[in-house]
Amino acid sequence: MAEVTLTINGGQITVPQGSTILNAAQKMGVFIPTLCYDPELTIDGSCRMCVVEVKGARTLMISCATAATEGMVVETESPAVIEARKTILELLLANHPLDCLTCGRNGDCRLQDYAYRYGVKEGGFAGAMHQYPIEDDNPFIVRDMNKCILCGKCVRACAQIQGKNVVDYTYRGFDTKIAPAMDTTLAGSDCVFCGNCVAVCPVGALQEKVLRSKARTWEINKVRTTCPYCGTGCNFDLNVKDGKVVGVTSCDGDVNGRALCVKGRFGYGFIHHPDRLSKPLIKKDGQFVEASWEEALALVAEKLGGIRDNNGPDALAVLSSARCTNEENYLLSKLTRAVFGTNNIDHCARL
Amino acid sequence: MTNPIQDVAGADFIFAIGTNTTESHPIIGLQVKKAVRGGSTLVVADPRKTEVAELAKVHLQIKSGSDIALLNGMANVIIAEDLYNKEFVAERTEDFEAFKAAVEKYTPEYVEGITGIAAASLREVARGYARVKNATILYTMGITQHICGTHNVFAVANLSMLCGHIGKPNSGVNPLRGQNNVQGACDMGALPAVLTGYQGVGLDDVRARFASAWGLESLPAKPGITVGEMLEGASHGTIKGMYIMGENPVLSDPDANHVVHALDKLDFLVVQDIFLTETAQLADVVLPAASFAEKDGTFSNTERRVQRVRKAVEPVGEARPDWQILCQVATAMGYPMNYASPADIMKEIASLTPSYGGISYERLEQGGIQWPCPNPEHPGTPVLHVGKFSRGMGKFNPVEYVAPAEMPDEQYPLVLSTGRRHFHYHTGTMTMRTGALEVYYGTEYLEINSADAAKLVICDGDKVKVSSRRGSVELSARITDVVPEGLVFTSFHFPEVAINRLTNPARDSIAKIPEFKVCAVKVEKTA
Amino acid sequence: MANVTLTINGVKVTVPKGTTVLEAATGAGFFIPIFCHTPELTGFGACRICVVEIQGMRNLPASCVTEATEGMVVQTESPAVVEARKTILELILANHPQDCLTCEKNGNCLLQDYAFRYGVKGPGFEGQRHSFSIDDSNPYIIRDLNKCILCGRCVRTCAQVKDRAVIDYAFRGFDTKIAAPMDTPLGESDCVYCGRCVAVCPVGALSYKRLSGQGRVWEMEKKPVTCTFCDSGCEFDLVSKNGKVIGVAAKAPGPGRPLCLKGRLGLELLYCDQPQAPQLKKDGEFTEVPWAEALGLEGVLDKIKKMENKQ
Ligand code: SF4
Ligand code: SF4
Ligand code: SF4
Ligand code: SF4
Ligand code: SF4
Ligand code: SF4
Ligand code: FES
Ligand code: FES
């Protein structure tokens, strides 16, 4: 494939033809802030956060949408670039609630990151502020359009990842807003609550309802795992705080990328449900009573051993589980065959 | 699946039969949608007008249980019009002549009488499938949950071999597994006739290898029995003790009343689970297990990808990971079983299982691996049957259409079909306790066509009683054109709508899968 | 020692006599917010965020100054307690800049933690606001008294070291503020820039200038290190980001631990990947000085040099 070589901040980099300046910079490890760009979505080029200075160009160029060309000379943090970014941030903050104090995305918010990086404390323009009601009439997602920076990523994620087109730009000018058709709530729309829009939102406009009310971003420990529901095998991060799973967020899964479905993303609540079994139970006179592990294991060994010895191994039967791990299915097969002495093992794969 | 999930998006033609992909496998559904957006042709065969059917170029709204007729009909057209892949058939398959003869009578006109699909539509779809470069077939329970389930699968495989749409990217025969680790449970030998990696218990050398690895003289050679036979045996008293780990057959198996009766007759029942399920309530001993978030391990997904499960939190209360409990039971029974961690168990699995031979926790840190992966250098196998089938030549298995075991009659005039809902999962044990899913989708309903509803004088939201020869349940009706006239549908997620009191335990004679997708019922308005 | 047994949120707790309700509750694993109290500083009881409900008492007492007594029945999160805490937070926030966006303390700020915990979003009272100018008159500590919640921790920790007591409460009522004598900026006061006050400030009113703009709390890692310049054994934190040590902060300013500037600078020189040049006040002006001078090692170095030359 044809390649081009360009200079970014004085260093040379060679990239395949067709790469953007942003791609090239990222490949070099040079940071360029972005708001509307996402590697999995079509390029929008609307936020202008990613502007850079290209030698010979009359204006600053949008790095996420400008192809790198042979011999190009780029500066990513020149005074003009910084000035432009500051202005963009000031404009955004002029119409942004200064809510980081309690915002669920505090600590993981691009607007905040960039404001800190460029030392923009608040909107330089005391502009009109939106006063949208916060939408939380569903148990999954909270939408606070006052915090929306109109990057349009949710619109593209819903269309291009989820294939749904639930949300889109509505109204015009200052009133522009992201909303489902007829400006209803998500609960009133076709939304399937996959949360894939939440996963791409760079700020706190879209938040996971429970996760973001239970923990601050910096208190969370993430553990990558595989979904316990359907057979697709999506990967995600369990978000853990104080020894409890408080939520699920996307990672870059082998199968699913960042996409998840409503069960995978919002179906973790059973883990700490009060109905969870926490002690062995033994039935005595038709009633369950709590027992110690020693007692329960001894009883199981005695009874199953008794049946095996008196009625023969084939009087025992075992159901393994399509929900348990490979290692556990293996061990149960081993237990059945090596200890019980029968091949009577099956599971509900057929169901 | 013969092919990876990501392959679906690249197929020119997707034939989805008996799968409500976007609801039951949402993320695979995204691949389907992506393919459609990219201009691929999507054909859906399903009695219901599901979400994915709405996306399709052609929706073949077939009669429940008529899949073989449809698939044989497509083969008939493809052979008759000389559209099949002669080179592939000649070089890589056997028994083509027998197959050709078998499908000869399935002319589109004959098939129309069984499936209700117009001959012209069938021809169009058959040509479409045969002519494209890459075509993939997706299916789920809609194919397997019939008395002829295994034959349905043969019919699907026959069609793909006929056109050579297998053993290459973006094609193949792709069953979508309903549960996270069905694939793994099968791979690990949680089946009556095979050990890990489908090594038959009947083979002396296999048994000898396992026996020596497990430190025993010998292992039982006689193949075991299946779920249905276990329950049958329990009710007849030949099975006296059962050990059930993480399954809820009372809700998930057909003819629930019978299942309860059978488990009640056991001398001793152990259930190991995370909740006191309907099945656990019948147990003599219940052992509290750790959830997926509380243990390490691996799952194998529907495309044979082995992936890590990682411990994020401590088990609640005194619950223990299933693998530890099993070790302790074995040890208590005089067979010491000790593993430091699931990684060690995987080492043993790899040493005994050729297809898992190269899989280890160290490698899985870099991402999932698709088996077969025979050695540590092997990259894994995304696409099966490239250049050669696992058994050598691909064998055509001619199959004939047979009607479902229970057809509607005067007394039970409607067909009941069951399946999944987007917001829930399996018997609802987990999804009814999330604090979110059940809040949003809290009650189940019966889908019924407006014509049937009118006949029965049922309005939307009315409480109705649905009965089969085996039992009845009550729920509210939703009038919808998702189901055609003559068919009603609901899910099996809700314990209070224990629909499996109604379903027919008639099973496929080979794979022993019950016929969940067709049973005869009547619907009456209650209040 | 005699023990007392009391009931906290329904749980029986036994503690030595003389223990405060706060210590008893936190020892038993219950959460009680604190602003003015810290374990290293003596009881003060001014901020009242630590109030609890005690059966038989008419008001909500401050748990940090209330002694646990035999048979006491305590509720740490009753509706009345939560209501009181919310009101206190609302009152504080009514006169607090909404600055977390770029505040150096964001992510490690008690005011923020409690506001999140009790769901106090913003000012319930549109109050009159201070507009103090930010004091960065010295190279080490920035003071933004608009963010000060007047907990007095800085005053007390400063007074713990003999001859310091540089800052104190000044003025009254709404105008109350923490200030050096005559309300001079820190740079013109007797302040020695030890950073004890920065270490205890629960909010973003006090911060290290040399760390300002260097990164956010959640990006930084802290590793304790003990200073060896003198035998006081003061503890400091090495602050690093992306694996690079970017600064040194005072830690745990207990009694008898002076935490001097010299010690901190010495550790910066030792551990920082790119130590910033030290500055000392000369004739009332801060000027960059050589490391040897800043660390008071000139005499020693001269001597070493002489000895080496002789050889
Ligand atoms: S969205 Fe970001 S900038 Fe806005 S309040 Fe939340 S954390 Fe702060
Ligand atoms: S949750 Fe999913 S379906 Fe709903 S708006 Fe977001 S992306 Fe679209
Ligand atoms: S809701 Fe979030 S993702 Fe959507 S446009 Fe607003 S800021 Fe962007
Ligand atoms: S997230 Fe959804 S689609 Fe993915 S594995 Fe889990 S249940 Fe299946
Ligand atoms: S400066 Fe900090 S420590 Fe001192 S009184 Fe104010 S808030 Fe408290
Ligand atoms: S001191 Fe705390 S509450 Fe105040 S602006 Fe800083 S972080 Fe926010
Ligand atoms: S990121 Fe380039 S324009 Fe938004
Ligand atoms: S912490 Fe108790 S009154 Fe301030």
Side-chain angles (χ1 to χ4, degrees), chain A residues 196-260:
Chain A
N196 293 331
C197 52
V198 183
V200 298
C201 181
V203 295
L206 302 177
Q207 299 190 20
E208 300 87 347
K209 192 173 196 167
V210 175
L211 169 62
R212 301 300 176 200
S213 66
K214 282 215 167 142
R216 315 237 49 180
T217 54
W218 52 83
E219 299 172 327
I220 287 169
N221 185 18
K222 293 186 178 188
V223 180
R224 181 143 315 168
T225 196
T226 303
C227 180
Y229 288 109
C230 84
T232 304
C234 298
N235 297 144
F236 54 64
D237 285 336
L238 285 172
N239 285 224
V240 179
K241 178 191 167 185
D242 297 337
K244 291 219 155 143
V245 174
V246 291
V248 162
T249 48
S250 298
C251 61
D252 193 12
D254 284 349
V255 178
N256 57 313
R258 281 174 301 172
L260 290 171

Side-chain angles (χ1 to χ4, degrees), chain A residues 141 158 162 164 166-167 186 191-197:
Chain A
I141 296 172
C158 192
Q162 191 54 26
K164 283 298 273 188
V166 170
V167 284
L186 289 182
C191 174
V192 293
F193 297 104
C194 61
N196 293 331
C197 52

Side-chain angles (χ1 to χ4, degrees), chain A residues 160 226 229 231-233 254-255 263 275-276 278 281 283 315 319 323-324 327 330 334 337 346-347 350, chain B residues 6 37 179-181 189-191 227 240 243 281 284 294 301-302 307-308 318 339 348 361 368 511:
Chain A
Q160 295 165 21
T226 303
Y229 288 109
T232 304
D254 284 349
V255 178
K263 292 187 287 295
D275 286 355
R276 278 288 302 280
S278 62
L281 302 174
K283 204 177 262 165
L319 280 183
R323 327 297 322 287
C324 289
E327 292 76 4
Y330 170 77
K334 182 170 174 181
R337 295 175 155 118
D346 199 2
H347 67 282
R350 302 177 168 79
Chain B
Q6 309 257 332
R37 281 203 301 278
Q179 295 184 66
N180 56 328
N181 203 28
L191 290 170
V227 191
K240 303 238 177 267
Y243 197 113
Q281 282 164 19
D284 297 289
E294 299 156 350
N301 77 348
T302 187
Q307 306 193 99
R308 273 302 308 276
E318 293 178 21
Y339 297 94
E348 187 172 312
Y361 275 40

Side-chain angles (χ1 to χ4, degrees), chain A residues 96-97 99-100 103 105-106 109 111-112 147 203-204, chain C residues 101:
Chain A
H96 191 88
D99 244 8
C100 310
C103 181
R105 282 295 292 272
N106 184 359
C109 168
L111 184 55
Q112 192 186 58
K147 293 182 185 165
V203 295
Chain C
L101 180 76

Side-chain angles (χ1 to χ4, degrees), chain A residues 101, chain C residues 93 96-101 103-107 109-112 147 202-205:
Chain A
L101 180 75
Chain C
L93 287 169
H96 190 93
Q98 289 174 294
D99 239 11
C100 311
L101 180 76
C103 180
E104 292 297 337
K105 196 77 174 173
N106 185 4
C109 167
L110 290 187
L111 178 57
Q112 194 185 58
K147 293 181 186 168
V203 296

